[in-house]
């Protein structure tokens, strides 16, 4: 039992670092440096999923989160034709390669000749989503601000976890709006 207690602090430290890194998101923002962000008091969410004829579960979650965050920041939701800024969003599917394990090899050689053999680590493809939110000018229909968040939005997640993830990504993105 003493041997376990010696390794416990290292295990707890490793667990804490792993949890911290897993919770870190990759949120990036970009904006048009020539755009004016002053006087934007109203917004409208651009129609999404028109080709499907309905709003998906994730689209509904994204819209609820956007409305909550923008309203909390003092923006007012209005009709599309009356908005100072249009909000567009999408989930872009990405495939990420993940390898696990290790590779090993052996070889031998003599003078300028040699022979070697190695194995590759196990690899698999993971499908995940990247949430993209753009603020678009109503007149020119040109994006002036973009936030993108990637944090393992996968099909196997529970609906509660998906909602928490979307909420946290949008909160983190909009904390950086307006720029400057």
């Amino acid at each position: 039992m003493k041997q376990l207690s010696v390794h416990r602090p290292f295990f707890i430290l490793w667990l804490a670092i792993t949890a911290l890194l897993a919770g870190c998101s990759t949120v990036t923002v970009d904006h048009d440096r020539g755009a004016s962000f002053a006087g934007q008091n109203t917004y409208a969410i651009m129609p999404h999923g028109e080709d499907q004829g309905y709003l998906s579960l994730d689209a509904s979650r994204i819209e609820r989160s956007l409305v909550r965050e923008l309203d909390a920041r003092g923006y007012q939701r209005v009709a599309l034709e009356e908005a100072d800024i249009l909000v567009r969003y999408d989930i872009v599917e990405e495939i990420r390669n993940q390898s696990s394990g290790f590779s090993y090899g052996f070889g031998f050689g003599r003078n300028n000749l040699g022979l070697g053999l190695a194995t590759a680590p196990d690899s698999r493809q993971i499908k995940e989503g990247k949430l993209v939110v753009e603020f678009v000018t109503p007149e020119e229909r040109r994006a002036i601000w973009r936030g993108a968040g990637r944090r393992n939005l996968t099909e196997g997640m529970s609906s509660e976890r998906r909602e928490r993830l979307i909420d946290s990504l949008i909160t983190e993105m909009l904390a950086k709006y307006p720029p400057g």
Side-chain angles (χ1 to χ4, degrees):
M1 194 68 163
K2 279 211 185 266
Q3 191 175 19
L4 180 62
S5 63
V6 170
H7 296 291
R8 184 176 290 171
F10 296 109
F11 177 75
I12 291 172
L13 178 63
W14 175 82
L15 196 61
I17 290 171
T18 303
L20 181 65
L21 291 175
C24 292
S25 66
T26 306
V27 170
T28 57
V29 296
D30 191 11
H31 69 281
D32 180 348
R33 292 178 47 167
S36 172
F37 294 89
Q40 294 175 350
N41 302 315
T42 60
Y43 72 94
I45 297 177
M46 294 178 77
H48 188 268
E50 289 179 358
D51 57 332
Q52 299 170 346
Y54 66 93
L55 204 57
S56 71
L57 291 170
D58 281 338
S60 295
R61 292 176 181 119
I62 293 167
E63 285 195 17
R64 278 194 307 271
S65 187
L66 283 167
V67 168
R68 186 187 62 250
E69 289 296 321
L70 288 169
D71 287 354
R73 287 170 167 68
Y75 295 91
Q76 180 183 3
R77 188 174 185 183
V78 296
L80 204 61
E81 307 79 39
E82 302 169 15
D84 297 328
I85 197 74
L86 303 176
V87 181
R88 183 198 158 287
Y89 64 89
D90 200 6
I91 294 180
V92 179
E93 188 175 280
E94 292 185 335
I95 296 177
R96 176 175 58 91
N97 291 320
Q98 181 181 36
S99 61
S100 61
F102 61 94
S103 64
Y104 54 91
F106 64 91
F108 61 91
R110 184 175 175 135
N111 296 334
N112 291 334
L113 296 173
L115 178 64
L117 179 64
T119 65
D122 289 337
S123 176
R124 64 183 177 135
Q125 290 186 332
I126 298 174
K127 233 189 263 189
E128 55 187 26
K130 176 172 72 172
L131 176 60
V132 177
V133 175
E134 292 180 316
F135 286 26
V136 178
T137 60
E139 308 82 30
E140 303 167 311
R141 297 288 172 131
R142 178 177 59 91
I144 60 171
W145 183 89
R146 181 180 193 268
R150 181 180 316 154
R151 195 191 292 168
N152 297 346
L153 185 60
T154 61
E155 283 295 320
M157 297 175 108
S158 69
S159 56
E160 295 83 16
R161 189 165 174 220
R162 287 180 85 80
E163 191 161 344
R164 282 194 314 268
L165 177 63
I166 289 169
D167 285 347
S168 67
L169 285 172
I170 289 177
T171 300
E172 197 172 336
M173 276 183 225
L174 293 184
K176 301 172 183 181
Y177 183 83

